[in-house]
Amino acid sequence: MDRHSLTHEILSQLPLGGDPGSQLNIHTQFSCPISTGADHGAILDVLTNRTNAQRQQITKVFQALTKQDLLKSMEAALSGNLERVIVGLLKPPAQYDAHELRAAMQGPGTDDKVLTRILISRSETDLLSIRSEFRKRHGKSLYSCLQVETRGDYQAALLALCRAEDL
């Protein structure tokens, strides 16, 4: 099966239109991302014009049809800022947020803006998922990492948002 027909098959099997029964029949020019000659514009177009839930469907169908992981395929085919954007788009929200929180606490200094933006803008349900994903991915609780990386009233505010339920 060539790249064009594989891509068309993947995308046409996804119910991504307005109603549950509609099928996606656009973007047939999208090049399969497993080649290093992937069409970057088409990849961006397909992934940025979908919700995260739809992107998760795309990754599942891609896996089922190709027996390859779309995220790993993208990492192999892309580089630089484009790779970071596409990888971020393909991750489920809690996984992405857990990654970004950890990155904000690594290296020299803590990126307080990232911590604040994520922790104050997520719902309690989202925060539960983020905390779980953080522990799964990093082997430590988000709460304990925030205790080490922050101080004072700012720390108290972040810990209150994070809550200690996952200690």
Side-chain angles (χ1 to χ4, degrees), residues 1-165:
M1 181 179 291
D2 69 21
R3 289 183 301 173
H4 174 76
S5 58
L6 175 62
T7 301
H8 179 70
E9 183 177 344
I10 291 169
L11 294 176
S12 67
Q13 290 187 26
L14 298 171
L16 301 178
D19 65 293
S22 68
Q23 296 293 309
L24 179 70
N25 60 9
I26 57 173
H27 303 296
T28 57
Q29 77 281 3
F30 175 69
S31 296
C32 186
I34 55 176
S35 90
T36 55
D39 181 343
H40 297 167
I43 292 169
L44 273 172
D45 189 42
V46 168
L47 296 178
T48 59
N49 285 297
R50 305 290 173 269
T51 66
N52 190 276
Q54 291 169 332
R55 290 189 298 268
Q56 298 314 307
Q57 289 177 352
I58 290 170
T59 55
K60 287 178 185 172
V61 171
F62 185 88
Q63 173 72 36
L65 292 175
T66 67
K67 306 299 184 237
Q68 296 180 27
D69 183 284
L70 182 58
L71 185 63
K72 289 180 183 173
S73 295
M74 287 284 118
E75 289 172 332
L78 304 172
S79 63
N81 290 334
L82 180 60
E83 177 188 0
R84 282 193 294 279
V85 168
I86 297 301
V87 166
L89 287 170
L90 290 173
K91 288 181 179 180
Q95 184 181 351
Y96 179 77
D97 285 345
H99 169 80
E100 291 299 304
L101 287 166
R102 184 68 178 146
M105 291 185 271
Q106 290 182 322
T110 298
D111 189 340
D112 294 339
K113 289 180 183 178
V114 171
L115 298 178
T116 303
R117 278 190 197 123
I118 291 173
L119 294 175
I120 69 168
S121 65
R122 302 307 187 260
S123 70
E124 187 172 347
T125 302
D126 291 341
L127 288 172
L128 286 169
S129 298
I130 292 166
R131 289 194 333 248
S132 174
E133 191 66 36
F134 192 94
R135 182 181 290 281
K136 181 173 125 184
R137 300 257 174 222
H138 306 295
K140 304 175 194 174
S141 75
L142 176 58
Y143 190 90
S144 66
C145 288
L146 288 170
Q147 282 181 310
V148 170
E149 297 296 330
T150 59
R151 299 281 176 262
D153 291 340
Y154 178 66
Q155 178 189 60
L158 292 183
L159 294 177
L161 287 169
C162 182
R163 296 205 175 86
E165 296 170 22

